[in-house]
Amino acid sequence: RGGADNITALVISMSRHHQRINASMPTKALRKFSFLEGCTLDELRAFWNLVEVRSFAAGDTIFSEGEAADDFYLLAEGMVELHRADRCLAVIYAGEPFGGMALTAENQRTTTAIAIDECKALALRQHRFFQLIREQSPLANHMLLRMFANAVQIVQKQNIKIADIPH
């Protein structure tokens, strides 16, 4: 029987796993990362379920040169400097990936990452990425292609810098 005073309630039950996920990063926001450009909605959801949101204060060391490399990062907020031997090599801005060598066979970090200001980053553990590869996931293929493209850009930039040095 329908009446103007009827109240309809909707109860949503969530598993413990989903309760710990920060809902402030929906798939629309993930689409803004160039690294995830071209991913389907299902791939974005899969990515979100694989990552952890990590916060860093200004001056925090995210990882250090020489330590075990086991996390890849997408910077959601803030800026990060990458250093090698106390020399700043690059500044990473919100929306950019860093620490990608962790998703390869590389065992140790080749740089130190330091938060310039308050940062939030999406961290993907190496073993989760390898699981995607074993499952022949389209997301893993997409990420591998993006990582390769990023590596090519870095090499091209370094070649330009080397070419600018007077001989």
Side-chain angles (χ1 to χ4, degrees), residues 63-125:
F63 55 77
S64 296
E65 184 177 352
E67 73 182 26
D70 54 8
D71 295 319
F72 161 77
Y73 296 90
L74 278 179
L75 191 60
E77 297 174 13
M79 294 187 298
V80 170
E81 285 183 343
L82 296 180
H83 292 256
R84 181 178 297 137
D86 297 324
R87 183 172 159 237
C88 182
L89 300 177
V91 176
I92 306 300
Y93 299 94
E96 296 180 337
F98 66 103
M101 294 303 288
L103 300 184
T104 68
E106 194 68 33
N107 303 64
Q108 293 184 321
R109 295 284 183 193
T110 58
T111 59
T112 296
I114 301 171
I116 297 173
D117 52 12
E118 286 190 26
C119 296
K120 283 190 180 179
L122 306 180
L124 176 64
R125 306 288 303 189

Coordinates of all heavy atoms in Angstrom, one line a residue, residues 63-125:
F63 N 60.9 6.7 0.1 CA 61.8 5.5 0.0 C 63.2 6.0 -0.2 O 63.4 7.2 -0.5 CB 61.4 4.5 -1.1 CG 61.3 5.1 -2.5 CD1 62.4 5.4 -3.2 CD2 60.0 5.3 -3.0 CE1 62.3 5.9 -4.5 CE2 59.9 5.8 -4.3 CZ 61.0 6.1 -5.0
S64 N 64.2 5.2 0.1 CA 65.6 5.6 0.1 C 66.4 4.8 -0.9 O 66.2 3.6 -1.1 CB 66.3 5.4 1.5 OG 65.6 6.3 2.4
E65 N 67.4 5.4 -1.5 CA 68.3 4.8 -2.4 C 68.9 3.6 -1.8 O 69.4 3.7 -0.6 CB 69.4 5.8 -2.9 CG 70.3 5.3 -3.9 CD 71.3 6.4 -4.4 OE1 71.2 7.5 -4.0 OE2 72.2 6.0 -5.1
G66 N 68.9 2.4 -2.4 CA 69.6 1.2 -1.9 C 68.7 0.3 -1.2 O 69.0 -0.9 -1.0
E67 N 67.5 0.8 -0.7 CA 66.6 -0.1 0.0 C 65.8 -1.0 -1.0 O 65.8 -0.7 -2.2 CB 65.6 0.6 0.9 CG 64.6 1.4 0.3 CD 63.7 2.2 1.3 OE1 64.2 2.5 2.4 OE2 62.6 2.5 1.0
A68 N 65.1 -2.0 -0.5 CA 64.3 -2.9 -1.3 C 63.2 -2.1 -2.0 O 62.5 -1.3 -1.4 CB 63.7 -4.0 -0.5
A69 N 63.1 -2.4 -3.3 CA 62.1 -1.7 -4.1 C 60.9 -2.6 -4.3 O 60.9 -3.6 -5.0 CB 62.6 -1.4 -5.5
D70 N 59.8 -2.3 -3.6 CA 58.6 -3.2 -3.7 C 57.3 -2.4 -3.9 O 56.2 -3.0 -3.9 CB 58.6 -4.1 -2.5 CG 58.6 -3.4 -1.2 OD1 58.6 -2.2 -1.1 OD2 58.7 -4.1 -0.1
D71 N 57.3 -1.1 -4.0 CA 56.1 -0.3 -4.2 C 56.3 0.7 -5.4 O 57.3 1.3 -5.5 CB 55.7 0.5 -3.0 CG 55.4 -0.3 -1.8 OD1 54.7 -1.3 -2.0 OD2 55.8 0.0 -0.7
F72 N 55.3 0.7 -6.2 CA 55.1 1.7 -7.3 C 54.1 2.8 -6.8 O 53.2 2.4 -6.1 CB 54.6 1.0 -8.6 CG 54.1 1.9 -9.6 CD1 54.9 2.7 -10.4 CD2 52.7 2.0 -9.8 CE1 54.4 3.5 -11.4 CE2 52.2 2.9 -10.7 CZ 53.0 3.6 -11.6
Y73 N 54.3 4.0 -7.2 CA 53.5 5.1 -6.7 C 52.9 5.9 -7.8 O 53.6 6.2 -8.8 CB 54.2 6.0 -5.8 CG 54.7 5.4 -4.5 CD1 56.0 4.8 -4.5 CD2 54.0 5.4 -3.4 CE1 56.5 4.2 -3.3 CE2 54.4 4.8 -2.2 CZ 55.7 4.3 -2.2 OH 56.2 3.7 -1.0
L74 N 51.6 6.4 -7.6 CA 51.0 7.4 -8.4 C 50.8 8.5 -7.4 O 50.0 8.3 -6.5 CB 49.7 7.0 -9.1 CG 49.8 6.2 -10.4 CD1 48.4 5.8 -10.8 CD2 50.5 6.9 -11.4
L75 N 51.3 9.7 -7.7 CA 51.2 10.8 -6.8 C 49.8 11.5 -7.0 O 49.5 12.0 -8.1 CB 52.3 11.8 -7.0 CG 52.4 12.9 -5.9 CD1 52.6 12.3 -4.5 CD2 53.5 13.9 -6.3
A76 N 49.0 11.4 -6.0 CA 47.6 12.0 -6.0 C 47.6 13.5 -5.7 O 46.9 14.3 -6.3 CB 46.7 11.2 -5.1
E77 N 48.4 13.9 -4.7 CA 48.5 15.2 -4.2 C 49.9 15.6 -3.8 O 50.6 14.7 -3.3 CB 47.6 15.5 -3.0 CG 46.1 15.2 -3.2 CD 45.3 15.3 -2.0 OE1 45.8 15.8 -0.9 OE2 44.1 14.9 -2.0
G78 N 50.3 16.8 -4.0 CA 51.6 17.3 -3.5 C 52.7 17.1 -4.6 O 52.4 16.9 -5.7
M79 N 53.9 17.3 -4.1 CA 55.1 17.2 -4.9 C 56.2 16.4 -4.2 O 56.3 16.4 -3.0 CB 55.7 18.6 -5.2 CG 54.8 19.4 -6.1 SD 55.5 21.0 -6.6 CE 55.8 21.8 -5.1
V80 N 57.0 15.6 -5.0 CA 58.0 14.8 -4.5 C 59.3 15.0 -5.3 O 59.3 15.2 -6.5 CB 57.6 13.3 -4.6 CG1 58.8 12.3 -4.3 CG2 56.4 13.0 -3.8
E81 N 60.4 15.1 -4.6 CA 61.7 15.2 -5.2 C 62.4 13.8 -5.2 O 62.3 13.0 -4.3 CB 62.7 16.1 -4.5 CG 62.3 17.6 -4.7 CD 63.3 18.5 -4.0 OE1 64.1 18.1 -3.1 OE2 63.3 19.7 -4.3
L82 N 63.0 13.5 -6.4 CA 63.8 12.2 -6.5 C 65.3 12.6 -6.5 O 65.7 13.5 -7.3 CB 63.5 11.5 -7.8 CG 62.1 11.0 -7.9 CD1 61.9 10.3 -9.3 CD2 61.7 10.1 -6.8
H83 N 66.0 12.0 -5.5 CA 67.5 12.3 -5.4 C 68.3 11.1 -5.6 O 67.9 10.0 -5.3 CB 67.7 12.8 -3.9 CG 67.1 14.1 -3.6 ND1 67.8 15.3 -3.5 CD2 65.8 14.5 -3.3 CE1 67.0 16.3 -3.2 NE2 65.8 15.8 -3.1
R84 N 69.5 11.3 -6.1 CA 70.5 10.3 -6.1 C 71.8 10.9 -5.6 O 72.2 11.9 -6.1 CB 70.7 9.7 -7.5 CG 71.8 8.6 -7.5 CD 72.0 7.9 -8.8 NE 70.8 7.3 -9.3 CZ 70.4 7.3 -10.6 NH1 71.0 8.0 -11.5 NH2 69.3 6.7 -10.9
A85 N 72.4 10.3 -4.6 CA 73.7 10.8 -4.0 C 73.5 12.3 -3.7 O 74.3 13.1 -4.1 CB 74.8 10.6 -5.0
D86 N 72.4 12.6 -3.0 CA 72.2 14.0 -2.5 C 72.0 15.0 -3.6 O 72.1 16.2 -3.4 CB 73.3 14.4 -1.5 CG 73.3 13.6 -0.3 OD1 72.2 13.2 0.2 OD2 74.4 13.3 0.3
R87 N 71.7 14.6 -4.8 CA 71.5 15.5 -6.0 C 70.1 15.3 -6.4 O 69.7 14.2 -6.7 CB 72.5 15.2 -7.1 CG 72.4 16.1 -8.2 CD 73.5 15.9 -9.2 NE 73.1 16.4 -10.5 CZ 73.0 15.7 -11.6 NH1 73.4 14.5 -11.7 NH2 72.6 16.3 -12.7
C88 N 69.3 16.4 -6.6 CA 67.9 16.3 -7.0 C 67.9 16.0 -8.5 O 68.5 16.8 -9.3 CB 67.2 17.6 -6.8 SG 65.4 17.5 -7.3
L89 N 67.3 14.9 -8.9 CA 67.2 14.5 -10.3 C 65.9 15.0 -11.0 O 65.9 15.2 -12.2 CB 67.4 13.0 -10.4 CG 68.6 12.3 -9.9 CD1 68.5 10.8 -10.1 CD2 69.8 12.9 -10.7
A90 N 64.9 15.0 -10.2 CA 63.6 15.3 -10.8 C 62.6 15.7 -9.7 O 62.7 15.3 -8.5 CB 63.0 14.1 -11.5
V91 N 61.6 16.4 -10.1 CA 60.4 16.8 -9.2 C 59.2 16.1 -9.8 O 58.9 16.2 -11.0 CB 60.2 18.3 -9.1 CG1 59.0 18.6 -8.3 CG2 61.4 19.0 -8.5
I92 N 58.5 15.3 -9.0 CA 57.3 14.6 -9.4 C 56.1 15.4 -8.9 O 56.0 15.9 -7.8 CB 57.2 13.2 -8.8 CG1 58.5 12.4 -9.1 CG2 56.0 12.5 -9.3 CD1 58.8 12.2 -10.6
Y93 N 55.1 15.7 -9.8 CA 53.9 16.5 -9.5 C 52.7 15.6 -9.4 O 52.7 14.4 -10.0 CB 53.7 17.5 -10.6 CG 54.9 18.5 -10.7 CD1 55.9 18.3 -11.6 CD2 54.9 19.6 -9.8 CE1 57.0 19.2 -11.6 CE2 56.0 20.5 -9.9 CZ 57.0 20.3 -10.8 OH 58.1 21.2 -10.8
A94 N 51.7 16.1 -8.8 CA 50.4 15.3 -8.7 C 50.0 14.8 -10.1 O 50.0 15.5 -11.0 CB 49.3 16.2 -8.1
G95 N 49.6 13.5 -10.1 CA 49.2 12.9 -11.3 C 50.3 12.1 -12.0 O 50.0 11.3 -12.9
E96 N 51.5 12.2 -11.5 CA 52.6 11.5 -12.1 C 53.0 10.2 -11.4 O 52.9 10.2 -10.1 CB 53.8 12.4 -12.3 CG 53.6 13.6 -13.2 CD 54.8 14.5 -13.3 OE1 55.7 14.5 -12.4 OE2 54.8 15.2 -14.3
P97 N 53.6 9.2 -12.1 CA 54.0 8.0 -11.4 C 55.5 8.2 -11.0 O 56.2 9.0 -11.5 CB 53.9 7.0 -12.5 CG 54.2 7.8 -13.8 CD 53.6 9.1 -13.5
F98 N 55.9 7.4 -10.0 CA 57.3 7.3 -9.6 C 57.5 6.0 -8.9 O 56.6 5.4 -8.4 CB 57.8 8.5 -8.7 CG 57.1 8.7 -7.4 CD1 57.8 8.3 -6.2 CD2 55.9 9.2 -7.2 CE1 57.3 8.4 -5.0 CE2 55.3 9.3 -6.0 CZ 56.0 8.9 -4.8
G99 N 58.8 5.6 -8.8 CA 59.1 4.3 -8.2 C 58.8 3.1 -9.1 O 58.7 2.0 -8.6
G100 N 58.7 3.3 -10.4 CA 58.3 2.3 -11.3 C 59.2 1.1 -11.4 O 58.8 0.0 -11.8
M101 N 60.5 1.3 -11.0 CA 61.4 0.2 -11.1 C 61.0 -0.9 -10.2 O 61.4 -2.0 -10.4 CB 62.9 0.7 -10.8 CG 63.4 1.7 -11.8 SD 63.5 1.0 -13.5 CE 64.8 -0.1 -13.3
A102 N 60.2 -0.6 -9.2 CA 59.8 -1.6 -8.2 C 58.9 -2.7 -9.0 O 58.8 -3.8 -8.5 CB 59.0 -1.0 -7.1
L103 N 58.3 -2.3 -10.1 CA 57.5 -3.3 -10.8 C 58.3 -4.1 -11.8 O 57.7 -4.9 -12.6 CB 56.3 -2.5 -11.5 CG 55.4 -1.8 -10.6 CD1 54.2 -1.2 -11.4 CD2 54.9 -2.6 -9.4
T104 N 59.6 -3.9 -11.8 CA 60.4 -4.7 -12.7 C 61.2 -5.7 -11.9 O 60.9 -5.9 -10.7 CB 61.4 -3.8 -13.5 OG1 62.3 -3.2 -12.5 CG2 60.7 -2.7 -14.2
A105 N 62.2 -6.3 -12.4 CA 63.0 -7.2 -11.7 C 64.0 -6.5 -10.8 O 64.7 -7.2 -10.0 CB 63.8 -8.1 -12.7
E106 N 64.1 -5.2 -10.8 CA 65.0 -4.4 -10.0 C 64.7 -4.6 -8.5 O 63.6 -4.5 -8.1 CB 64.9 -2.9 -10.4 CG 66.0 -2.0 -9.9 CD 67.3 -2.3 -10.5 OE1 67.3 -2.6 -11.7 OE2 68.3 -2.1 -9.9
N107 N 65.8 -5.0 -7.8 CA 65.6 -5.3 -6.4 C 65.8 -4.1 -5.4 O 65.2 -4.0 -4.4 CB 66.6 -6.3 -5.9 CG 66.5 -7.6 -6.7 OD1 66.7 -7.6 -7.9 ND2 66.1 -8.7 -6.1
Q108 N 66.6 -3.1 -5.9 CA 66.9 -2.0 -5.0 C 66.5 -0.6 -5.6 O 66.6 -0.5 -6.8 CB 68.4 -2.0 -4.7 CG 68.8 -3.1 -3.8 CD 70.3 -3.0 -3.4 OE1 71.1 -2.6 -4.3 NE2 70.6 -3.4 -2.2
R109 N 66.2 0.3 -4.7 CA 65.9 1.6 -5.2 C 67.2 2.3 -5.7 O 68.2 2.2 -5.1 CB 65.3 2.5 -4.0 CG 64.0 2.0 -3.5 CD 62.9 2.4 -4.5 NE 61.6 2.0 -3.9 CZ 60.5 2.0 -4.6 NH1 60.5 2.4 -5.9 NH2 59.4 1.6 -4.1
T110 N 67.0 3.0 -6.8 CA 68.2 3.7 -7.4 C 68.1 5.2 -7.0 O 69.0 6.0 -7.3 CB 68.2 3.6 -8.9 OG1 67.0 4.0 -9.5 CG2 68.5 2.1 -9.3
T111 N 67.0 5.6 -6.4 CA 66.8 7.0 -6.0 C 66.2 7.1 -4.6 O 65.7 6.1 -4.1 CB 65.9 7.8 -6.9 OG1 64.7 7.2 -7.0 CG2 66.5 7.9 -8.3
T112 N 66.2 8.3 -4.0 CA 65.5 8.6 -2.8 C 64.4 9.5 -3.1 O 64.6 10.5 -3.8 CB 66.5 9.2 -1.7 OG1 67.5 8.3 -1.4 CG2 65.7 9.6 -0.5
A113 N 63.2 9.2 -2.6 CA 62.0 10.1 -2.8 C 61.7 10.8 -1.6 O 61.5 10.2 -0.5 CB 60.8 9.2 -3.3
I114 N 61.6 12.1 -1.6 CA 61.3 13.0 -0.5 C 60.1 13.9 -0.8 O 60.1 14.5 -1.8 CB 62.5 13.9 -0.1 CG1 63.7 13.0 0.2 CG2 62.2 14.8 1.0 CD1 65.0 13.7 0.3
A115 N 59.1 13.9 0.1 CA 57.9 14.7 0.0 C 58.3 16.2 0.2 O 58.9 16.5 1.2 CB 56.9 14.3 1.0
I116 N 58.0 17.0 -0.8 CA 58.3 18.4 -0.7 C 57.3 19.1 0.2 O 57.6 20.0 1.0 CB 58.3 19.1 -2.1 CG1 59.4 18.5 -3.0 CG2 58.4 20.6 -2.0 CD1 59.4 19.0 -4.4
D117 N 56.0 18.7 0.0 CA 54.9 19.2 0.9 C 54.1 18.0 1.3 O 54.4 16.8 1.0 CB 54.2 20.3 0.2 CG 53.7 19.9 -1.2 OD1 53.8 18.7 -1.6 OD2 53.2 20.7 -2.0
E118 N 52.9 18.2 1.9 CA 52.0 17.1 2.2 C 51.6 16.4 1.0 O 51.2 17.1 0.0 CB 50.8 17.6 3.0 CG 51.1 18.0 4.4 CD 49.9 18.3 5.2 OE1 48.8 17.7 4.9 OE2 50.0 19.0 6.2
C119 N 51.7 15.1 1.0 CA 51.5 14.3 -0.2 C 50.5 13.2 0.1 O 50.5 12.6 1.2 CB 52.8 13.7 -0.8 SG 54.0 14.9 -1.3
K120 N 49.8 12.8 -0.9 CA 49.0 11.5 -0.9 C 49.4 10.8 -2.2 O 49.5 11.4 -3.2 CB 47.5 11.7 -0.9 CG 47.0 12.1 0.5 CD 45.5 12.1 0.5 CE 45.1 12.5 1.9 NZ 43.6 12.5 2.0
A121 N 49.7 9.5 -2.0 CA 50.1 8.7 -3.1 C 49.4 7.4 -3.1 O 49.0 6.8 -2.0 CB 51.6 8.4 -3.1
L122 N 49.1 6.8 -4.3 CA 48.5 5.5 -4.4 C 49.7 4.5 -4.6 O 50.5 4.7 -5.5 CB 47.6 5.4 -5.6 CG 46.5 6.5 -5.7 CD1 45.7 6.3 -7.0 CD2 45.6 6.4 -4.5
A123 N 49.8 3.6 -3.7 CA 50.9 2.6 -3.7 C 50.5 1.3 -4.2 O 49.5 0.7 -3.7 CB 51.5 2.5 -2.3
L124 N 51.2 0.7 -5.2 CA 50.9 -0.6 -5.7 C 52.1 -1.5 -5.3 O 53.2 -1.2 -5.7 CB 50.7 -0.6 -7.2 CG 50.5 -2.0 -7.9 CD1 49.2 -2.6 -7.4 CD2 50.5 -1.8 -9.4
R125 N 51.8 -2.5 -4.6 CA 52.8 -3.5 -4.1 C 53.3 -4.3 -5.3 O 52.5 -4.7 -6.2 CB 52.3 -4.4 -3.0 CG 51.7 -3.7 -1.8 CD 52.7 -3.1 -0.9 NE 53.7 -4.1 -0.5 CZ 54.6 -3.8 0.4 NH1 54.7 -2.7 1.0 NH2 55.5 -4.8 0.7

